[in-house]
Amino acid sequence: MSVLPTVASPAAALRVDYVDAPASAVLADPRLLAVFGFGTAIAVRPDDPRYLHVALPAHGPAPLEAWRVEAEVTHGRDGDIVWSTGGGLQFGALEVADDGDIEAAAAAAYARLQDWLAASDHPHPLRIWNYLDGITEGEGDAERYRRFCVGRARGIGRALAPGELPAATAIGHPLTTGRFQLYWLTARQAGTPLENPRQVQAWRYPRQYGPQPPGFARALLPASSAMPLLVSGTAAVVGHASRHDESLDAQLDEILANLRSLIAIARTRRPGLPMQLGPGARLKVYVRDAAALPQVDAWLAAHLPDVPRIVLHGHVCRRELRVEIDGCHG
Ligand code: 3EB
């Protein structure tokens, strides 16, 4: 592991954009850290470590999600991991076959990630995404999301302190892919995990939600003030309970209250963050029921008209949760 003088490196900066352009044009930028293509009908999947296909179906033609930094990016492959590095940040991704034992798949993937981080000069996870098949299949503690939480904790191999939890998303594929997909953004410098006063810390969820509480923070504020606030998958959870089982719009209202609460908390530490979700925010929206995609899109157009969004068909990790939103704010 190389020890570099941090004084020599400028503050990390990340720009996230949703772009309507061919992936080849986006990849031509030497400062492109990563680009994501969403959907099941994508014909062109460039063979570049910075390109990642996420198989969640999109509502309409989804733009690409581009991550750009303020320095030239290097990239490569290390066995099963694709990676890119630049401007104080590192992107990485990994897929593990999931033959039905999601606990084993998650344990293998997270053990590999831990080894990778231990050898990396960008060892601090800021943000992690988990996409798995059949997230709410199985009953009780055999439900796949609960087994995933057990495997994730086993793969990490030690209890993370609250101060080292990353922001995260865990979403289910509506169609079977046979793979567990994990990708991450890490930094040279650790960030500050944030919790939401409206919600119980996920790592303190009571036993009724499974044997292993999920290890993530509600949001993360990177060390560099040139970085946006990174927001975890946020659902209509208040305290530890799901709210408004019967109403998609009421769940969206509750999510917006959760997002506003997180922004208020983040602003106590970084007053320069915008007060409201606006043109500087980016939201990725996961909707359980494909038939509800237009309703969610319409709600977003009405309530957050100036926030760029990508709306995807994906399953939230509790059956009664109809929608979840992650993103960034800066
Ligand atoms: C929740 O509030 C919704 O297991 O990594 C959101 C974000 C959720 C991340 C994870 C789970 C995870 O509990 C679920």
Side-chain angles (χ1 to χ4, degrees):
M1 183 169 147
S2 60
V3 179
L4 298 173
T6 47
V7 281
S9 20
L14 178 72
R15 189 178 165 86
V16 176
D17 282 300
Y18 301 149
V19 292
D20 280 309
S24 56
V26 178
L27 287 162
D29 183 347
R31 298 181 169 206
L32 192 278
L33 187 68
V35 57
F36 304 87
F38 298 91
T40 43
I42 295 182
V44 183
R45 297 179 192 173
D47 184 23
D48 183 305
R50 298 170 297 166
Y51 177 83
L52 194 69
H53 176 237
V54 173
L56 294 169
H59 175 60
L64 296 169
E65 177 176 339
W67 292 0
R68 294 189 186 88
V69 295
E70 292 183 354
E72 222 160 283
V73 169
T74 55
H75 52 81
R77 294 172 207 274
D78 179 0
D80 49 357
I81 288 180
V82 291
W83 60 269
S84 62
T85 306
L89 297 170
Q90 188 164 64
F91 159 74
L94 168 63
E95 287 184 9
V96 170
D98 172 10
D99 61 2
D101 187 348
I102 186 62
E103 180 183 334
Y110 272 87
R112 177 76 174 104
L113 173 56
Q114 287 305 110
D115 288 349
W116 169 260
L117 294 176
S120 171
D121 54 5
H122 296 71
H124 302 290
L126 306 180
R127 191 66 180 82
I128 298 184
W129 284 261
N130 305 274
Y131 295 124
L132 51 145
D133 290 349
I135 194 164
T136 49
E137 278 169 29
E139 297 307 314
D141 286 348
E143 188 180 71
R144 280 171 51 87
Y145 175 64
R146 299 185 184 192
R147 300 324 304 169
F148 159 76
C149 288
V150 170
R152 170 169 56 182
R154 179 149 64 83
I156 292 171
R158 65 183 178 88
L160 296 177
E164 36 176 13
L165 293 172
T169 295
I171 287 290
H173 287 288
L175 304 168
T176 303
T177 66
R179 291 166 299 143
F180 167 54
Q181 185 176 51
L182 179 63
Y183 70 89
W184 57 86
L185 173 70
T186 68
R188 282 193 204 280
Q189 272 185 285
T192 304
L194 302 181
E195 292 296 337
N196 186 341
R198 301 183 84 239
Q199 299 183 298
V200 169
Q201 296 97 321
W203 50 274
R204 282 192 167 140
Y205 277 169
R207 177 64 181 86
Q208 71 197 79
Y209 299 103
Q212 173 62 57
F216 68 95
R218 299 297 180 179
L220 185 134
L221 205 49
S224 160
S225 59
M227 295 277 294
L229 173 70
L230 304 172
V231 180
S232 290
T234 303
V237 171
V238 180
H240 57 72
S242 305
R243 294 285 174 97
H244 319 297
D245 297 12
E246 72 301 331
S247 168
L248 184 58
D249 278 12
Q251 289 201 358
L252 285 161
D253 288 338
E254 204 69 75
I255 291 172
L256 189 53
N258 279 333
L259 296 175
R260 288 181 169 149
S261 169
L262 275 172
I263 290 168
I265 289 294
R267 279 175 40 82
T268 65
R269 291 172 179 271
R270 192 160 297 163
L273 284 172
M275 289 177 69
Q276 305 288 346
L277 288 166
R282 305 286 180 266
L283 295 179
K284 228 149 58 221
V285 184
Y286 307 92
V287 183
R288 169 171 282 272
D289 177 7
L293 285 162
Q295 185 186 340
V296 172
D297 201 48
W299 187 95
L300 290 158
H303 291 79
L304 298 169
D306 54 357
V307 181
R309 63 183 180 270
I310 293 180
V311 181
L312 300 168
H313 182 203
H315 290 180
V316 187
C317 61
R318 296 184 194 173
R319 287 169 207 185
E320 68 278 12
L321 292 174
R322 296 163 182 255
V323 56
E324 181 172 302
I325 299 181
D326 72 19
C328 57
H329 176 73

